[in-house]
């Protein structure tokens, strides 16, 4: 394997804990807000602008969202997803130190992508690919092909980790070796079994 490719959300990151606080910014009950938040998320991952996303969420919970509120909601949302899992980051650091080439393929809006590029862990990756920038998202086969073009690799050159089975299955259909994320300790063992990590 020439490349190990990671998803971000709930692989490198922990699940966001920011949603109750964002719900409070809209004066909406957390459960009602969370349903609206995830109902509109696919469009956001596919490149929907921040303001359009938050207005769509607002419509679902009967709240008006202007540009200023959208900026606040976006900032809180990005911050919530920036919390990383320490074990996952240690694994990335070990892979990097051993010369393994890393790429990221994440379903995430462009606003998150710009923040993530500044994170300390981003230096461990040769390429960071965010769905919002491509206006394509997993499990669409085209995003995996775009990744391969970006990193100049053949499918067989890549091992891909994702926390969603549909994304793993789609990657396999394109020809990548792909595994459902088992957590950092089990992933470390898997990488050792494939002689990718010492």
């Amino acid at each position: 394997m020439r490349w190990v490719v990671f998803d971000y959300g709930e692989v490198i990151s922990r699940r966001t804990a920011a949603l109750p606080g964002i719900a409070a910014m809209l004066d909406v009950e957390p459960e009602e807000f969370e349903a609206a938040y995830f109902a509109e998320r696919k469009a956001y991952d596919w490149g929907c602008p921040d303001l359009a996303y938050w207005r769509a969420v607002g419509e679902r919970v009967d709240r008006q969202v202007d540009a200023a509120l959208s900026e606040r909601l976006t900032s809180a949302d990005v911050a919530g997803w920036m919390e990383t899992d320490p074990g996952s980051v240690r694994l990335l650091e070990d892979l990097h130190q051993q010369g393994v080439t890393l790429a990221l393929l994440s379903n995430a809006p462009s606003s998150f992508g710009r923040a993530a590029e500044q994170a300390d862990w981003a230096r461990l990756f040769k390429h960071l690919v965010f769905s919002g920038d491509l206006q394509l998202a997993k499990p669409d086969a085209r995003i995996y092909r775009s990744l391969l073009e970006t990193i100049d690799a053949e499918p067989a050159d890549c091992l891909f980790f994702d926390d969603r089975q549909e994304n793993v299955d789609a990657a396999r259909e394109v020809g990548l070796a792909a595994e459902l994320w088992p957590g950092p300790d089990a992933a470390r063992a898997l990488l050792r079994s494939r002689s990718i990590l010492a």
Side-chain angles (χ1 to χ4, degrees):
M1 294 292 171
R2 290 177 48 216
W3 292 84
V4 180
V5 183
F6 287 83
D7 176 36
Y8 178 76
E10 300 186 62
V11 172
I12 297 171
S13 80
R14 290 177 168 162
R15 191 178 194 277
T16 180
L19 300 189
I22 300 173
M25 293 167 67
L26 290 168
D27 193 25
V28 177
E29 289 298 318
E31 288 185 5
E32 182 185 6
F33 167 75
E34 188 165 331
Y37 174 92
F38 284 112
E40 297 294 338
R41 203 71 184 182
K42 181 176 180 180
Y44 202 20
D45 288 342
W46 275 78
C48 172
D50 297 337
L51 180 56
Y53 169 70
W54 291 113
R55 282 183 167 164
V57 173
E59 287 177 8
R60 286 180 176 269
V61 296
D62 195 26
R63 296 292 185 274
Q64 295 292 319
V65 177
D66 60 16
L69 179 55
S70 173
E71 287 185 12
R72 291 172 52 216
L73 294 168
T74 300
S75 294
D77 188 41
V78 168
W81 284 108
M82 289 297 288
E83 184 176 353
T84 53
D85 180 280
S88 295
V89 174
R90 282 194 298 272
L91 175 59
L92 296 176
E93 289 171 344
D94 290 347
L95 286 164
H96 180 72
Q97 287 174 2
Q98 293 187 28
V100 179
T101 311
L102 304 178
L104 183 85
L105 180 63
S106 176
N107 280 1
S110 295
S111 51
F112 177 82
R114 302 297 78 75
E117 288 165 351
Q118 306 306 312
D120 186 58
W121 55 261
R123 66 184 168 76
L124 305 172
F125 288 85
K126 188 168 183 181
H127 289 286
L128 302 169
V129 178
F130 299 98
S131 64
D133 296 331
L134 300 177
Q135 298 187 335
L136 288 170
K138 297 174 288 185
D140 191 298
R142 291 172 295 173
I143 198 169
Y144 302 99
R145 296 190 186 109
S146 180
L147 166 75
L148 293 169
E149 290 177 9
T150 298
I151 67 177
D152 190 24
E154 296 297 322
D157 295 335
C158 304
L159 173 61
F160 172 61
F161 286 109
D162 198 286
D163 67 315
R164 295 190 177 186
Q165 188 64 52
E166 64 178 348
N167 296 341
V168 170
D169 292 342
R172 288 173 177 168
E173 288 178 9
V174 175
L176 285 77
E179 297 289 343
L180 189 67
W181 180 243
D185 292 339
R188 184 181 294 273
L190 187 153
L191 289 161
R192 284 175 174 155
S193 74
R194 298 192 180 195
S195 301
I196 297 170
L197 183 66

